[in-house]
Amino acid sequence: MLKPSVSKSLIDSILKSELLDESALLAYASEAQRLNKKLGVYLVQEGVLKAPELLKALSDLLKLEVINLKAAVIDKAVIERVPVKVASYYQFMPVALEGNKLTVAVFEPLDIRSQDDIRAHLGLDTRQVLAGPWDIEEALKKYYGLASETIDQILTKEPRKRAQFAQEESGAPEDIERSSEDPSVTKLVNQIILEAFQKRATDIHIEPYRNKVRFRYRIDGVLIDANLPVEARHFLAAILSRIKIMANISITERRKPHDGSAVVRVKDQALDLRVSTIPTLHGESMVIRLLPTTTTLLDLEKLGFNKDNARKFRELICRPHGIIFVTGPTGSGKTTTLYACLHEINDPNRKIITIEDPIEYEMEGLTQIQVNPGVDFTFASGLRSILRHDPDILMVGEVRDKETADIAIRTALTGHLVFSSLHTNDAASAVTRLVDMGVEPYLVASSVQAFVAQRLVRVLCSQCREADPEPLVEIRQDIRQSLGLAAQDEIKIFRGRGCDHCNGTGYYGRTAIYEILMVDEAMRSAILDQARVEDIQRIAVKNGMRTLRQDGWMNVIQGITSPAEVMNVTIQESLVTAVPVG
């Protein structure tokens, strides 16, 4: 196939609409050709013009309809009739087929030569409608599958690959090194990682099963299918080997788990890839954690703290000494909260040291240390060394044992401010967790300033959020009772309908819900008396603590999240007394 030439109609429409003068347009056209890009796409990518401007100019000049591909429903028969290699090469999305007439969505109108080529390949005449370039790209991924063009190229243009895949399926040995370094496999892996980054995924899951492989992205805490073509199963060994080489993992040993890491650049951002493999019945399963090497840390309100909790928390982190524990299960955002605290109090006049496993964020002004159990460098041994470096503030990634807890607590008692995390279900349970580790109750009572429990809930999509017309009566009653609302108080509950912006989930992004258990005189007495978890929670609520579920319900009535999200991460609280709103 010959590459389509620069669209004359596009140039005419830009000049007629006076979006650019002729000399500037010709210069951009020359640069686009040099970079082997279509003119319209180049102008939009470089920010010279906006896609809607170009679409309107083309529509006015050529009298072509502008179509909303996100809202369009395309019949499967249309997709089956047009090979992905044709649609990708000419950069169009097939929309409808009526008789011998194929309707295609384009950003730059096809010239006569391109239309003749399509007619020769497909035996169809074309009718053109206009759509944005990113909408066309997303539609191709949605209907043909991610990286479908790359997979098709390998299967159709390299006959030796077919023989290689047949050999793999027969159980014959595979040349791992050769397959993993194949340029097409490299491109395929890059496309998978790039798509995950663009969709805001935190993890990529690659899971082999009998005669198939599953690719999934974890987005907003939920696993979503990556929509790769079924032919991707042929490339499993090559994909895994390529990623292993990137992460400096042995590609010959498949019988035991491996861990590795790599740094890649995506657009203008560097990503740290944490790779982990485990052997399964049908091959190796792999999870890739995507971590930005640098990140914009949020303030407390943007993390999810309401005004009252944010005020309490700022008072805590400004204290000269003591220890503050953030608790919750794995993946509940504890590290992000801890770094938000450090960001607020980061000061050139203070020495701040962190010890973590692993280091998830890089922050200027901090001395950051990663533990290494392989050389017996643990949290406990690291803490002992850190104290000789004259710190003002310490952050211990996690308290896992009595030795680490003792050192962290004694550090707080000697005039340091310490932040750390614990794995417990709520703030009250953190007290008994420390005592169960073997920490003396008097040390807990005298050193800990507060226990902060948190969970992550998904945020309703702003594009498709709507009032729930028929919420369950039981939910309204639970909210009213939990928050101490009067019978006449109106409770509005919202839901996400699901749209392309949120991948049909109804949610976009996550926020945290919190409970802050302040260690005051009453709480110290309870800790010294080794009170039960239920009694500790009752005292905390009586003294003004808003529980996780109550904080979640506040987010529900404010339209931030849905009742299902709150009920999914919190438990029914029969022991607490309602804290009235406001």
Side-chain angles (χ1 to χ4, degrees), residues 186-242:
T186 299
K187 181 180 178 182
L188 179 56
V189 169
N190 291 345
Q191 286 177 295
I192 292 170
I193 296 173
L194 178 61
E195 178 77 358
F197 172 77
Q198 291 174 337
K199 287 185 176 292
R200 303 175 298 107
T202 56
D203 302 87
I204 303 171
H205 290 244
I206 305 175
E207 305 158 328
Y209 300 97
R210 186 183 299 276
N211 297 324
K212 70 175 184 178
V213 61
R214 191 177 191 183
F215 293 81
R216 295 192 288 175
Y217 298 144
R218 187 175 293 280
I219 303 172
D220 296 333
V222 176
L223 285 170
I224 295 175
D225 190 82
N227 190 31
L228 264 78
V230 293
E231 292 83 5
R233 67 186 177 91
H234 297 307
F235 301 89
L236 176 61
I239 290 170
L240 295 182
S241 297
R242 168 61 186 161

Side-chain angles (χ1 to χ4, degrees), residues 11-165:
I11 291 177
D12 291 342
S13 63
I14 292 173
L15 293 176
K16 186 173 182 180
S17 301
E18 298 182 346
L19 295 174
L20 292 171
D21 60 52
E22 186 173 1
S23 60
L25 180 56
L26 291 177
Y28 286 128
S30 176
E31 182 64 12
Q33 281 191 314
R34 187 184 70 80
L35 296 173
N36 201 30
K37 291 184 177 181
K38 283 200 166 188
L39 175 59
V41 174
Y42 172 79
L43 292 173
V44 173
Q45 282 180 338
E46 295 300 314
V48 179
L49 295 175
K50 295 181 180 179
E53 291 179 320
L54 285 177
L55 291 176
K56 185 177 186 309
L58 284 166
S59 178
D60 292 343
L61 179 70
L62 303 175
K63 308 304 179 188
L64 293 177
E65 175 191 354
V66 177
I67 186 174
N68 182 2
L69 276 180
K70 290 182 178 179
V73 178
I74 301 173
D75 193 275
K76 187 178 179 181
V78 178
I79 305 301
E80 293 174 347
R81 182 67 178 82
V82 182
V84 65
K85 60 185 176 184
V86 176
S88 296
Y89 183 81
Y90 290 102
Q91 296 177 29
F92 70 77
M93 180 65 206
V95 176
L97 181 62
E98 297 178 3
N100 200 45
K101 181 78 71 176
L102 176 68
T103 301
V104 296
V106 296
F107 181 51
E108 291 190 33
L110 300 168
D111 57 24
I112 298 300
R113 187 171 187 172
S114 298
Q115 294 180 55
D116 289 342
D117 283 350
I118 294 171
R119 189 180 297 110
H121 284 290
L122 303 179
L124 300 171
D125 292 323
T126 57
R127 169 181 171 265
Q128 300 181 65
V129 294
L130 301 174
W134 319 131
D135 292 343
I136 293 172
E137 182 181 332
E138 286 302 311
L140 287 170
K141 291 178 186 177
K142 178 179 178 180
Y143 288 98
Y144 286 101
L146 172 64
S148 55
E149 181 190 9
T150 302
I151 292 174
D152 183 77
Q153 285 176 353
I154 301 174
L155 291 174
T156 59
K157 292 187 178 181
E158 299 183 45
R160 71 178 179 85
K161 288 292 179 188
R162 286 190 178 277
Q164 179 184 328
F165 297 139

Side-chain angles (χ1 to χ4, degrees), residues 383-391:
L383 270 172
R384 282 192 291 268
S385 299
I386 287 171
L387 291 177
R388 292 192 287 272
H389 283 253
D390 188 29

Side-chain angles (χ1 to χ4, degrees), residues 453-482:
Q454 72 176 79
R455 294 290 189 280
L456 292 177
V457 293
R458 291 184 291 173
V459 175
L460 291 171
C461 174
S462 61
Q463 306 294 315
C464 63
R465 190 189 75 160
E466 61 183 15
D468 191 338
E470 297 179 357
L472 293 175
V473 175
E474 294 84 352
I475 291 176
R476 287 184 185 273
Q477 290 175 342
D478 196 353
I479 294 174
R480 199 179 301 280
Q481 181 180 358
S482 181

